[in-house]
Amino acid sequence: MRSSFSILIIFAALTVVGLGLAPRLSLQYLPSARAPQLTVTYAWPNAAPALLEQEVATPLEGAFDLVRGVRSIYSVSGNGSGSIRLELDEEADIDYLRFEVAMRIRQLYPRLPAG
């Protein structure tokens, strides 16, 4: 069994080592912000995921791909509904991109399936 003096010396040595390594720790005062994003959701009751992908998601993704400021596009289609998530550039004007995406949807709307 160790004496209380040796435990105190070990504790002091570990404290000095910890204080010496503390400046090397990376601190982040503000959490890193995620990239801005927009999400478009759609519904077509009782439609199969493959049909939603073909008739709705693919044309919308193609239109959104033409919008300047969109970094990446992710889509998910399920039974009767789906969503498309657009990750935007950091310096992008979100209000302008929201307007641009809405305009693309309005242009495609007549070619989308009824319902």
Side-chain angles (χ1 to χ4, degrees), residues 41-81:
T41 58
Y42 51 89
W44 187 6
N46 301 322
L51 185 61
L52 275 172
E53 186 73 28
Q54 179 183 358
E55 297 290 326
V56 181
T58 301
L60 287 174
E61 287 175 4
F64 298 155
D65 194 39
L66 300 174
V67 175
R68 189 173 300 194
V70 174
R71 183 188 309 163
S72 57
I73 301 173
Y74 303 96
S75 68
V76 175
S77 296
N79 285 327
S81 66

